[in-house]
Every structure is written in C-alpha cells, then in structure tokens.
Amino acid sequence: MSDAYPKDLLYTKEHEWARIDGNVATIGITQFAVDQLGDVTMVELPAEGDEVTKDESFGSVESVKAVSDLYAPVSGKVVKVNDPINDSPEILNEDPYDEGWLIQIEMTDPDEAKELMSADAYAEFVAEQE
C-alpha cells in the first residue's frame, strides 16, 4: 500500500506532498487527492513572491466533481510556480508527483517539515479514510 506514495516525499492530512531540497519545498497534491477529485479542469495558484503560511490555503483545484482548497505544508515565499499547469491542468491527473507539481516555497522555518508524514504514515492515514 505504501508503495503508492513516493518515499522521498513528505505528506499532509490535506493530501498535499512536499519534496524538500535544502531550503526549498516543492509542493503538489497526492494521487489519492487526484483520484478523489476526478478530472482537474482548473488550478488557481499564488504568484511568485507571495507569502504562504503553513496550514493556510494558497490556492484551489477545480475538477468535474468539486473545488478543493490547497493548503501549504510549510510557510515561506513562493519562488516558483508551475506555469504550464495553468494552461494544461490535466497534467495533475497524468503525473501528480513530477510534471504536476504546483509551487516551490523558500521555507522560512524548515523545522515545519518535521511535522509532515512519511510515505508509510500517509498510506496508513489514507487507509483509514477509505
């Protein structure tokens, strides 16, 4: 079960993932979230330079089923936005862990990442949701 979630990522209960590289966190949504949403039709993301706060909404994903807020797994400044996803939101359905990343955050408090779940812990959390 836990093999469904990449081991090099950290996860939130809101179904976002974070790939930590030094002081920068790349953020996306998990395959579980994508499966729950169905076909993604629009993604609303912050602009580069915007500040985001851990556990607060930084954007939304709209699908054929619902609109869901996106919650920042860590606090910091948005240093890069995955612009192609604005024109082609279906990338999220096709490749949520690589091409479907959403934003990169320069973390203001890297210790916040220690509060995120491992792949195994996230798999257990998802199993409890199903």
Side-chain angles (χ1 to χ4, degrees), residues 10-12 54-55 73 109-118:
L10 299 172
Y11 299 88
T12 72
K54 178 177 171 39
D55 298 330
D109 183 3
D111 284 345
E112 288 178 339
K114 293 177 183 173
E115 299 169 20
L116 302 175
M117 291 183 277
S118 67

Side-chain angles (χ1 to χ4, degrees), residues 57-114:
S57 176
F58 68 86
S60 63
V61 175
E62 186 173 335
S63 72
V64 293
K65 292 183 180 176
V67 177
S68 296
D69 283 332
L70 298 164
Y71 295 95
V74 293
S75 301
K77 183 168 105 179
V78 177
V79 292
K80 194 166 185 180
V81 175
N82 188 2
D83 288 327
I85 213 160
N86 287 322
D87 295 328
S88 303
E90 67 276 5
I91 294 170
L92 262 179
N93 293 102
E94 297 164 359
D95 194 7
Y97 296 114
D98 287 311
E99 296 297 315
W101 65 274
L102 300 172
I103 60 173
Q104 290 184 329
I105 299 171
E106 185 178 65
M107 297 183 286
T108 53
D109 183 3
D111 284 345
E112 288 178 339
K114 293 177 183 173

